[in-house]
Amino acid sequence: MSPLRTIFHHFVTPSGDPRPTAHEGFVPPDEEPGRACAEPAPRTPPGIAVLSGPDDAPSLGAALGLAMAGHARSPVVAVCVWTGGPHGPSGPSHGPAVPAARRLAANLARRGHDVRCAGRLAVVRLPAASKDAALEARRASSAAGAAPTVLALGGPRSTAFDDLLREQDLVVVAAPCGTEQALTRLALEELATRRVRACACELISSQLARAVAVAGLTLLPAARRALAVPLDALA
């Protein structure tokens, strides 16, 4: 399979689904991707999903989690990370964490989740099988109670996550560097057909910004620049 086809299936076509037909309302190449596609039903507590490559899912999930904490004025955020393989949340199994994050992590661990806490984050590593991962993500979201949640999907799109994506307040598409912009637009259009509010973002290029986000500390300027569109959508 060519690299272009691999990226297409990763972000656009759920596994096992037929290749989508051309969209009549496709965004012209000289236009910017739309920030939002469709307004979802209200959700409490708030939730965001991010679609990315496996190496970027932990840092993007953590960064968006910190953004959600600030937006919702919450002391803790639950971040569920799935990569479809052996990848998992980077960083130590446990790090310096606020009391609310330690309590939530302990609560999730009692329910059998593979979880660590760092800063304001309780990070759950989801199993490799997509169906198992989707079920565990739903359980973790329920166990998070009033805490906002982030679902970071770094594996190939699977229909197992369709219902979860529809329930999110926002889905963020973070395509790898060098990806044709038309593929990002197509991913946003495909989410729009499922009535999912979606936008695109850049990858966090700074290793320091990624590490600080994964530690659950704060968003450095490089992370804020990469997440400018979703941060604006949350404002």
Side-chain angles (χ1 to χ4, degrees), residues 10 52-61 81-83 86-90 153-155 176 203-204 207 210 214:
H10 192 104
S52 71
D55 294 332
D56 297 297
S59 58
L60 285 170
V81 180
W82 178 74
T83 60
H87 301 77
S90 58
L153 301 181
L203 298 179
I204 303 173
Q207 291 300 320
R210 292 163 69 102
V214 167

Side-chain angles (χ1 to χ4, degrees), residues 145-174:
T149 59
V150 176
L151 177 63
L153 301 181
R157 283 285 305 279
S158 168
T159 55
F161 295 105
D162 280 356
D163 288 342
L164 282 172
L165 291 179
R166 280 192 291 267
E167 294 167 9
Q168 305 304 310
D169 294 298
L170 182 69
V171 174
V172 181
V173 178

Side-chain angles (χ1 to χ4, degrees), residues 49-132:
V50 58
L51 309 179
S52 71
D55 294 332
D56 297 297
S59 58
L60 285 170
L64 284 168
L66 291 172
M68 289 285 287
H71 172 69
R73 298 182 181 180
S74 173
V76 62
V77 176
V79 181
C80 296
V81 180
W82 178 74
T83 60
H87 301 77
S90 58
S93 58
H94 293 275
V98 301
R102 292 197 297 269
R103 289 193 297 270
L104 178 55
N107 184 43
L108 291 167
R110 284 194 296 269
R111 286 163 168 75
H113 298 288
D114 182 359
V115 61
R116 68 174 182 87
C117 57
R120 300 171 74 178
L121 309 176
V123 184
V124 176
R125 180 166 134 176
L126 299 175
S130 59
K131 289 184 179 179
D132 294 338

